[in-house]
Amino acid sequence: MRPEHTPLRPLSDLVPLLGPDARLLRPDLAPDHPVPAREVQVRGITHDSRKAGPGDLYAALPGTRVHGAEFAEQVALAGAAAVLTDPEGADRAAATGLPTLVVPDVRAVLGTVASWVFKDPSGDLLLIGTTGTSGKTTVSYLVEAGLRRAGMGTGLIGTVEMRVGDERVSSSLTTPEATDLHGLFALMRERGVTAAAMEVSSHALALGRVGGTRYDVAVFTNLSQDHLDFHSDLRDYFETKARLFTPEYCDIAVVNADDRFGRALVDMVQALGKVPVTTFGVQGFSDADPETALVPDWSAVDVRLGAAGSTFRIVGPGGMEARASVGLPGPFNVSNAMAAIIGLVEAGLPLETAIEGVADAPGVPGRMEKVLTSSAPAQDFTALVDYSHKPGAVEAVLSSVRSIAEGGVTVVLGCGGDRDRAKRPLMGEAAARLADQVVITNDNPRSEDPVAIAAAMLEGVTRVPENARARVTVELDRADAIRLAVARARAGDVIVVAGKGHETGQYVKGEVLPFDDREVLRTAIEEHLSADVRERLGVALLDVHRPAGG
């Protein structure tokens, strides 16, 4: 997505911004020509050769198999004005006759270049970015609701979707590539958006996708093990997240003081002394020793949890105090609500406006999303779909539903293939420790064998003492696993189908097969309420039962 009307900009104005190592090759001119015969003008930028059009600057990036410069001829025929590439791609790009801007590392400058092409669009928006392992999506939706409450034209960028005003566009990345991101900011500006909420992933920070972006407020939710197939270790993961809270990216930091990595981040940012920090917490929710815990600037106290959401009282600096609520269950959503409210306040919104916006926010797709059927009055158990696909998220979700369940807790859970393998036993262990029944199943196996993934999860299950272990069943057909969980449901129980959330496809052997947990769960509930389907489920592959009396 990009704006319809972008003014032409002279490429020669860009070169000085990229440092002494940048050079502009002009194969369209004779080597000894003293003055350019014409000025190169650009009006857009793309890293995807298939999307290149007239007036575009094409960013030819090195790939894992093919260098983007291989497609320079294609973009020249499409009317591109110039190519941005590295020394490896310079000759191939220049061979097209297009002016070629050469820099040592294209990714390192891509955000800066994209921002320049579109005239610094993020600087024209009130922009609140959220990072962390869990909660980014929920906080972003709550922030966007608060911005709307304040009467602003809003945008949203994240895992589930991108929104420009009321127009919705599906997302393929949590944070778009820099060329797309700045084009999206420019489109927002063109359509009257004045404020936006967005998720900022560690991949985006590591790969320069948010280069050239300025955040009025950057929010940190929490950090737990994830993405260790990309990051070398947990420290590298944390330090990558921490980049968002430097003067390069943000004006104000809002940090969760209940999280140990949040407290480390506060120390880090305060030691640099260049970005002001505001902290928040939820009473009784800190993972620190009470005697050494950081006292947050803003606290949620008198928290009352419920199946439909929670109420709490906010206490802030200078005796500020107000009642607040969030329409999402669980203590971790109180923390998410605090992150959004304090982020909005630091962005300049009145406290009451921020509270009202968060309280009125609709549910977040695939995040503790309640699934009901047309036969809802007969449904005497709670069914939820949640995106939790990492150990910390599984633990938070199951701990939360335990606090609202009148009966037992059942979780249907798998792990994705071709991703961080070390988290699989941790997720299996958390599920077996915190639920009453666990159905281990397929998630997005991608190129891996689902049996091997399930076996890794079962390794974690065995770490839980038998007398404290949930009843664990393996059913690799995800639809059957969901039906099994529903068939076992009793009055007052809570079922959580975890891992895929808002996703509508399952990644298997290079294909994306249609699969929506919400629709499959809804159908299973309807079947369960209309007829006894348990005898038609067959025998599960493996059933490890809690010992009698356990």
PDB file of all heavy atoms in Angstrom, residues 47 68 77 90 230 233 258 288 299 367 382 391 404 474 499 510 516 533 536 544 549:
ATOM      1  N   HIS A  47      11.069  -2.919  -2.628  1.00  0.00           N
ATOM      2  CA  HIS A  47      12.105  -3.958  -2.619  1.00  0.00           C
ATOM      3  C   HIS A  47      11.637  -5.176  -3.405  1.00  0.00           C
ATOM      4  O   HIS A  47      12.385  -6.138  -3.547  1.00  0.00           O
ATOM      5  CB  HIS A  47      12.406  -4.380  -1.177  1.00  0.00           C
ATOM      6  CG  HIS A  47      11.243  -5.069  -0.522  1.00  0.00           C
ATOM      7  ND1 HIS A  47      10.143  -4.384  -0.054  1.00  0.00           N
ATOM      8  CD2 HIS A  47      10.993  -6.381  -0.290  1.00  0.00           C
ATOM      9  CE1 HIS A  47       9.268  -5.238   0.447  1.00  0.00           C
ATOM     10  NE2 HIS A  47       9.756  -6.462   0.322  1.00  0.00           N
ATOM     11  N   GLY A  68      18.795  -9.460  -5.494  1.00  0.00           N
ATOM     12  CA  GLY A  68      17.730  -8.673  -6.105  1.00  0.00           C
ATOM     13  C   GLY A  68      18.153  -7.971  -7.384  1.00  0.00           C
ATOM     14  O   GLY A  68      17.304  -7.632  -8.227  1.00  0.00           O
ATOM     15  N   LEU A  77      12.269  -2.227 -17.297  1.00  0.00           N
ATOM     16  CA  LEU A  77      11.184  -2.308 -18.277  1.00  0.00           C
ATOM     17  C   LEU A  77       9.867  -1.807 -17.689  1.00  0.00           C
ATOM     18  O   LEU A  77       8.994  -1.334 -18.417  1.00  0.00           O
ATOM     19  CB  LEU A  77      11.033  -3.755 -18.755  1.00  0.00           C
ATOM     20  CG  LEU A  77      12.198  -4.313 -19.592  1.00  0.00           C
ATOM     21  CD1 LEU A  77      12.013  -5.806 -19.850  1.00  0.00           C
ATOM     22  CD2 LEU A  77      12.309  -3.554 -20.912  1.00  0.00           C
ATOM     23  N   ALA A  90      25.996  -4.046  -7.928  1.00  0.00           N
ATOM     24  CA  ALA A  90      26.181  -2.797  -8.664  1.00  0.00           C
ATOM     25  C   ALA A  90      26.303  -2.991 -10.170  1.00  0.00           C
ATOM     26  O   ALA A  90      25.648  -2.300 -10.960  1.00  0.00           O
ATOM     27  CB  ALA A  90      27.395  -2.053  -8.123  1.00  0.00           C
ATOM     28  N   PHE A 230      16.017 -17.576  15.459  1.00  0.00           N
ATOM     29  CA  PHE A 230      16.498 -16.369  14.783  1.00  0.00           C
ATOM     30  C   PHE A 230      17.569 -15.669  15.618  1.00  0.00           C
ATOM     31  O   PHE A 230      18.600 -15.244  15.098  1.00  0.00           O
ATOM     32  CB  PHE A 230      15.322 -15.423  14.523  1.00  0.00           C
ATOM     33  CG  PHE A 230      15.694 -14.137  13.842  1.00  0.00           C
ATOM     34  CD1 PHE A 230      15.888 -14.100  12.469  1.00  0.00           C
ATOM     35  CD2 PHE A 230      15.863 -12.966  14.570  1.00  0.00           C
ATOM     36  CE1 PHE A 230      16.244 -12.912  11.829  1.00  0.00           C
ATOM     37  CE2 PHE A 230      16.205 -11.781  13.943  1.00  0.00           C
ATOM     38  CZ  PHE A 230      16.408 -11.752  12.565  1.00  0.00           C
ATOM     39  N   ASP A 233      20.510 -16.185  21.397  1.00  0.00           N
ATOM     40  CA  ASP A 233      20.101 -16.588  22.738  1.00  0.00           C
ATOM     41  C   ASP A 233      19.133 -15.545  23.285  1.00  0.00           C
ATOM     42  O   ASP A 233      18.800 -14.563  22.611  1.00  0.00           O
ATOM     43  CB  ASP A 233      21.308 -16.763  23.675  1.00  0.00           C
ATOM     44  CG  ASP A 233      22.220 -15.536  23.708  1.00  0.00           C
ATOM     45  OD1 ASP A 233      21.716 -14.398  23.522  1.00  0.00           O
ATOM     46  OD2 ASP A 233      23.432 -15.704  23.909  1.00  0.00           O
ATOM     47  N   ASP A 258       6.670  -5.124  36.122  1.00  0.00           N
ATOM     48  CA  ASP A 258       6.420  -6.437  36.716  1.00  0.00           C
ATOM     49  C   ASP A 258       7.305  -7.514  36.100  1.00  0.00           C
ATOM     50  O   ASP A 258       7.493  -8.581  36.685  1.00  0.00           O
ATOM     51  CB  ASP A 258       4.953  -6.841  36.515  1.00  0.00           C
ATOM     52  CG  ASP A 258       3.999  -6.028  37.358  1.00  0.00           C
ATOM     53  OD1 ASP A 258       4.446  -5.467  38.385  1.00  0.00           O
ATOM     54  OD2 ASP A 258       2.816  -5.939  36.995  1.00  0.00           O
ATOM     55  N   ALA A 288       9.092 -10.271  40.829  1.00  0.00           N
ATOM     56  CA  ALA A 288      10.258  -9.929  41.640  1.00  0.00           C
ATOM     57  C   ALA A 288       9.968 -10.126  43.116  1.00  0.00           C
ATOM     58  O   ALA A 288       8.813 -10.185  43.553  1.00  0.00           O
ATOM     59  CB  ALA A 288      10.662  -8.481  41.393  1.00  0.00           C
ATOM     60  N   SER A 299       0.181   2.116  38.925  1.00  0.00           N
ATOM     61  CA  SER A 299      -0.175   0.775  39.395  1.00  0.00           C
ATOM     62  C   SER A 299      -1.659   0.500  39.207  1.00  0.00           C
ATOM     63  O   SER A 299      -2.500   1.398  39.372  1.00  0.00           O
ATOM     64  CB  SER A 299       0.160   0.618  40.890  1.00  0.00           C
ATOM     65  OG  SER A 299       1.548   0.709  41.107  1.00  0.00           O
ATOM     66  N   ARG A 367      -7.362 -13.481  20.248  1.00  0.00           N
ATOM     67  CA  ARG A 367      -6.722 -13.285  21.541  1.00  0.00           C
ATOM     68  C   ARG A 367      -7.780 -13.439  22.621  1.00  0.00           C
ATOM     69  O   ARG A 367      -8.635 -12.575  22.811  1.00  0.00           O
ATOM     70  CB  ARG A 367      -6.075 -11.899  21.637  1.00  0.00           C
ATOM     71  CG  ARG A 367      -4.641 -11.832  21.132  1.00  0.00           C
ATOM     72  CD  ARG A 367      -4.547 -12.133  19.679  1.00  0.00           C
ATOM     73  NE  ARG A 367      -3.185 -12.002  19.165  1.00  0.00           N
ATOM     74  CZ  ARG A 367      -2.851 -12.290  17.930  1.00  0.00           C
ATOM     75  NH1 ARG A 367      -3.761 -12.736  17.075  1.00  0.00           N
ATOM     76  NH2 ARG A 367      -1.609 -12.159  17.514  1.00  0.00           N
ATOM     77  N   THR A 382     -17.059 -22.597  28.821  1.00  0.00           N
ATOM     78  CA  THR A 382     -16.464 -21.480  28.087  1.00  0.00           C
ATOM     79  C   THR A 382     -15.446 -22.012  27.085  1.00  0.00           C
ATOM     80  O   THR A 382     -14.607 -22.858  27.432  1.00  0.00           O
ATOM     81  CB  THR A 382     -15.769 -20.502  29.054  1.00  0.00           C
ATOM     82  OG1 THR A 382     -16.733 -20.004  29.984  1.00  0.00           O
ATOM     83  CG2 THR A 382     -15.137 -19.344  28.300  1.00  0.00           C
ATOM     84  N   PRO A 391       6.131 -20.391  25.374  1.00  0.00           N
ATOM     85  CA  PRO A 391       5.963 -20.843  26.761  1.00  0.00           C
ATOM     86  C   PRO A 391       5.342 -19.805  27.689  1.00  0.00           C
ATOM     87  O   PRO A 391       4.419 -20.110  28.449  1.00  0.00           O
ATOM     88  CB  PRO A 391       7.393 -21.188  27.186  1.00  0.00           C
ATOM     89  CG  PRO A 391       8.100 -21.518  25.911  1.00  0.00           C
ATOM     90  CD  PRO A 391       7.504 -20.627  24.875  1.00  0.00           C
ATOM     91  N   ILE A 404     -10.654 -17.965  36.488  1.00  0.00           N
ATOM     92  CA  ILE A 404     -12.075 -17.698  36.197  1.00  0.00           C
ATOM     93  C   ILE A 404     -12.883 -18.978  35.999  1.00  0.00           C
ATOM     94  O   ILE A 404     -14.108 -18.932  35.906  1.00  0.00           O
ATOM     95  CB  ILE A 404     -12.225 -16.807  34.942  1.00  0.00           C
ATOM     96  CG1 ILE A 404     -11.645 -17.506  33.705  1.00  0.00           C
ATOM     97  CG2 ILE A 404     -11.562 -15.459  35.148  1.00  0.00           C
ATOM     98  CD1 ILE A 404     -11.897 -16.760  32.407  1.00  0.00           C
ATOM     99  N   VAL A 474      -2.690 -37.345  22.946  1.00  0.00           N
ATOM    100  CA  VAL A 474      -2.160 -36.894  21.667  1.00  0.00           C
ATOM    101  C   VAL A 474      -3.156 -37.262  20.579  1.00  0.00           C
ATOM    102  O   VAL A 474      -3.526 -38.437  20.432  1.00  0.00           O
ATOM    103  CB  VAL A 474      -0.791 -37.523  21.351  1.00  0.00           C
ATOM    104  CG1 VAL A 474      -0.330 -37.125  19.944  1.00  0.00           C
ATOM    105  CG2 VAL A 474       0.244 -37.098  22.381  1.00  0.00           C
ATOM    106  N   GLY A 499      -2.566 -21.453  20.053  1.00  0.00           N
ATOM    107  CA  GLY A 499      -1.481 -21.543  19.075  1.00  0.00           C
ATOM    108  C   GLY A 499      -1.686 -20.812  17.771  1.00  0.00           C
ATOM    109  O   GLY A 499      -0.765 -20.207  17.244  1.00  0.00           O
ATOM    110  N   GLY A 510       4.705 -26.996   2.504  1.00  0.00           N
ATOM    111  CA  GLY A 510       4.696 -26.002   1.447  1.00  0.00           C
ATOM    112  C   GLY A 510       3.317 -25.539   1.010  1.00  0.00           C
ATOM    113  O   GLY A 510       3.200 -24.683   0.124  1.00  0.00           O
ATOM    114  N   ASP A 516      -9.447 -22.687  10.387  1.00  0.00           N
ATOM    115  CA  ASP A 516      -9.718 -21.589  11.311  1.00  0.00           C
ATOM    116  C   ASP A 516     -10.177 -22.208  12.628  1.00  0.00           C
ATOM    117  O   ASP A 516     -11.250 -22.809  12.701  1.00  0.00           O
ATOM    118  CB  ASP A 516     -10.800 -20.677  10.724  1.00  0.00           C
ATOM    119  CG  ASP A 516     -11.037 -19.412  11.547  1.00  0.00           C
ATOM    120  OD1 ASP A 516     -10.898 -19.473  12.784  1.00  0.00           O
ATOM    121  OD2 ASP A 516     -11.381 -18.373  10.954  1.00  0.00           O
ATOM    122  N   VAL A 533     -21.178 -37.011  20.280  1.00  0.00           N
ATOM    123  CA  VAL A 533     -20.218 -37.412  19.234  1.00  0.00           C
ATOM    124  C   VAL A 533     -19.016 -38.164  19.811  1.00  0.00           C
ATOM    125  O   VAL A 533     -18.134 -38.583  19.080  1.00  0.00           O
ATOM    126  CB  VAL A 533     -19.705 -36.165  18.470  1.00  0.00           C
ATOM    127  CG1 VAL A 533     -20.831 -35.488  17.759  1.00  0.00           C
ATOM    128  CG2 VAL A 533     -19.000 -35.201  19.416  1.00  0.00           C
ATOM    129  N   ARG A 536     -17.822 -41.433  18.354  1.00  0.00           N
ATOM    130  CA  ARG A 536     -17.367 -41.422  16.971  1.00  0.00           C
ATOM    131  C   ARG A 536     -15.946 -40.883  16.822  1.00  0.00           C
ATOM    132  O   ARG A 536     -15.442 -40.740  15.731  1.00  0.00           O
ATOM    133  CB  ARG A 536     -18.321 -40.568  16.120  1.00  0.00           C
ATOM    134  CG  ARG A 536     -19.702 -41.169  16.034  1.00  0.00           C
ATOM    135  CD  ARG A 536     -20.545 -40.500  14.972  1.00  0.00           C
ATOM    136  NE  ARG A 536     -21.109 -39.234  15.429  1.00  0.00           N
ATOM    137  CZ  ARG A 536     -20.754 -38.042  14.979  1.00  0.00           C
ATOM    138  NH1 ARG A 536     -19.820 -37.933  14.071  1.00  0.00           N
ATOM    139  NH2 ARG A 536     -21.335 -36.934  15.420  1.00  0.00           N
ATOM    140  N   VAL A 544      -2.206 -40.395  28.467  1.00  0.00           N
ATOM    141  CA  VAL A 544      -1.483 -40.508  29.720  1.00  0.00           C
ATOM    142  C   VAL A 544      -2.371 -39.917  30.800  1.00  0.00           C
ATOM    143  O   VAL A 544      -2.616 -38.721  30.799  1.00  0.00           O
ATOM    144  CB  VAL A 544      -0.147 -39.734  29.660  1.00  0.00           C
ATOM    145  CG1 VAL A 544       0.649 -39.953  30.946  1.00  0.00           C
ATOM    146  CG2 VAL A 544       0.656 -40.181  28.448  1.00  0.00           C
ATOM    147  N   GLY A 549      -6.830 -40.133  42.300  1.00  0.00           N
ATOM    148  CA  GLY A 549      -6.600 -39.257  43.446  1.00  0.00           C
ATOM    149  C   GLY A 549      -5.661 -38.114  43.145  1.00  0.00           C
ATOM    150  O   GLY A 549      -5.410 -37.282  44.004  1.00  0.00           O
TER     151      GLY A 549
END
